[in-house]
Amino acid sequence: MDLRYFAMVCSERIFTKAANRLHISQPSLSVALQKLENELGLNLLVRDNKHVVLTREGAILQREAGALLQQAERLEQQMADLRAGEQRTLKLAFPATVGAWLWPVLLQDFQKLHPEIALQIEDKSTYAILHAVLEDALEIGYGVLEESAHDDIVSKPVRAGELRLLAAKRDALMQQEQMSLQDLAGRRVIMYRKGDSFAESRLLSEVKQRGIAVELQYVEEQATVFNLVAQGLGVAVILAETDLIRQSSALVSKPFSEQLKYKAGFFWKRDRYLSQSARLLMDFVLHKA
C-alpha cells in the first residue's frame, strides 16, 4: 500500500498535477489509487474531469496517512544514519534577520566538511519555523528562543544578542553617547512585517510598559526598512544579527541603555529522533559561534 500517491492527490486535488509531482504518468497514478481502494474495500475519491473530491472514508484516511508518512520519514532517516557514506538531506530554517551569520558557516564551511549532507535551507520567521517543527515538517529550526518557547520544544542556545536602534548617521540620536527607549517617543519606527518578528513584539511590550507613544510604519521587505531609515524617514529597532545584512554606510546602529537582550539558537520537537546530520550540524555551528 503506497500512501504517498494518495496523499499527493489529496494535496493537489488534480490528477495531472499530482502525477507530475510524483514523476509518474497519470494512468499509472489512477491504477495505483484504484488498487488502494480495492485493497481497502472502500471508495476514497470521487473523480470528475477536473478535480478530486474526498469521500468521508477518504477524509479519514487522509488524516491518518499524514501521521503515518511522517513516522515513515523519521524511520527512513534513522535507517539512513546507520548506512555509512550515503547522501543525506537535512532541512533547516532560520530567519534572515537572526541567522545572517549562518549562511557562510553552513554553505561554505559545513558543506566542505560534510559533502555527504545535502542542506535544504529556508528563510522563515521564528513563529513559522516553530509551527513547522511542531508539525514535523522540519527536524530542527534556528531562531529567537524567547519566541520558540513551548512545552513540546527542546532548545539549545547558540548566541546572545540585544535589540539595537538603527538610524541614519546624520540623525541627532546617533550623536548621543547613550540612547534610551524614551528617545523613541513621538518618532516613526519602521518595522518589518506586522506580527511576524521578535523585535516588534519586544518593542511593543517595552514601550507599553513605559507608557511611550511611538508611530509604527510596517513594510513587507527588510530592504525597505533600511532604505526608509537611510532617507531619514524614521528609525528601526533591529536584532544585533540584522546589522549583518544591511548594505548602506549611511546607517548606524547602537544598543539601548536598557539592554534589551535575547537568545538565539536551535530548537526541535521533544519526542523527535534527531538524525546524525542534525547533531553534526548543531555541534559544528556551536563550535563556530
Side-chain angles (χ1 to χ4, degrees):
M1 183 190 299
D2 196 338
L3 292 176
R4 291 175 297 173
Y5 290 178
F6 175 72
M8 186 61 72
V9 170
C10 291
S11 174
E12 294 296 335
R13 297 301 175 101
I14 299 176
F15 266 84
T16 53
K17 287 187 177 181
N20 288 337
R21 289 193 60 185
L22 290 165
H23 305 292
I24 63 173
S25 66
Q26 184 175 335
S28 297
L29 178 58
S30 298
V31 169
L33 291 177
Q34 186 63 61
K35 181 181 178 182
L36 176 60
E37 289 181 319
N38 292 340
E39 289 176 354
L40 296 176
L42 296 169
N43 291 323
L44 304 173
L45 306 167
V46 177
R47 304 161 176 83
D48 61 25
N49 292 332
K50 293 185 178 180
H51 301 287
V52 173
V53 178
L54 294 176
T55 63
R56 182 177 65 88
E57 294 80 5
I60 293 173
L61 180 60
Q62 180 192 25
R63 184 177 65 245
E64 299 300 327
L68 288 173
L69 289 171
Q70 287 174 356
Q71 291 176 15
E73 182 179 351
R74 289 198 294 269
L75 182 58
E76 288 177 2
Q77 181 64 67
Q78 293 180 46
M79 296 302 101
D81 281 346
L82 301 176
R83 297 191 294 268
E86 183 169 302
Q87 180 77 19
R88 289 168 287 177
T89 299
L90 176 62
K91 296 179 181 179
L92 172 68
F94 55 81
T97 53
V98 181
W101 70 281
L102 284 172
W103 286 106
V105 172
L106 296 177
L107 295 184
Q108 295 177 13
D109 304 340
F110 182 77
Q111 290 279 255
K112 183 177 180 180
L113 186 63
H114 294 286
E116 78 282 3
I117 300 175
L119 292 178
Q120 293 182 0
I121 302 175
E122 296 183 31
D123 172 14
K124 296 176 179 288
S125 70
T126 301
Y127 296 129
I129 296 170
L130 174 63
H131 178 74
V133 168
L134 289 171
E135 294 295 318
D136 288 315
L138 277 175
E139 183 177 357
I140 57 174
Y142 182 94
V144 177
L145 297 184
E146 285 84 346
E147 287 182 296
S148 60
H150 192 283
D151 290 342
D152 294 329
I153 290 293
V154 179
S155 62
K156 178 175 289 189
V158 175
R159 278 188 164 191
E162 61 182 324
L163 295 184
R164 300 174 68 90
L165 178 68
L166 182 74
K169 189 178 295 185
R170 63 180 182 276
D171 194 299
L173 281 178
M174 293 297 106
Q175 312 311 313
Q176 300 177 190
E177 289 189 11
Q178 282 194 323
M179 289 174 296
S180 169
L181 284 167
Q182 193 63 49
D183 292 322
L184 297 179
R187 297 291 302 263
R188 179 185 295 117
V189 181
I190 315 296
M191 298 300 301
Y192 169 61
R193 294 183 183 175
K194 187 174 183 178
D196 202 37
S197 73
F198 171 74
E200 178 204 16
S201 61
R202 181 68 183 275
L203 172 66
L204 292 181
S205 173
E206 296 288 344
V207 297
K208 181 179 180 181
Q209 181 180 342
R210 292 168 171 79
I212 302 171
V214 299
E215 177 190 345
L216 296 178
Q217 174 66 57
Y218 291 99
V219 297
E220 285 298 310
E221 300 296 335
Q222 189 67 54
T224 307
V225 176
F226 298 146
N227 289 337
L228 292 178
V229 174
Q231 294 177 60
L233 299 177
V235 297
V237 175
I238 63 173
L239 305 182
E241 287 90 343
T242 307
D243 226 13
L244 295 175
I245 62 176
R246 69 175 174 89
Q247 302 296 321
S248 176
S249 59
L251 296 171
V252 179
S253 74
K254 290 185 178 181
F256 291 97
S257 58
E258 289 85 352
Q259 295 187 320
L260 307 178
K261 296 183 178 296
Y262 63 90
K263 290 182 180 179
F266 291 104
F267 54 91
W268 61 93
K269 198 172 179 180
R270 186 176 300 277
D271 61 354
R272 175 155 187 167
Y273 168 80
L274 277 186
S275 66
Q276 183 184 16
S277 301
R279 294 193 297 270
L280 285 170
L281 183 141
M282 288 194 291
D283 289 344
F284 184 84
V285 170
L286 279 166
H287 177 72
K288 287 288 185 178

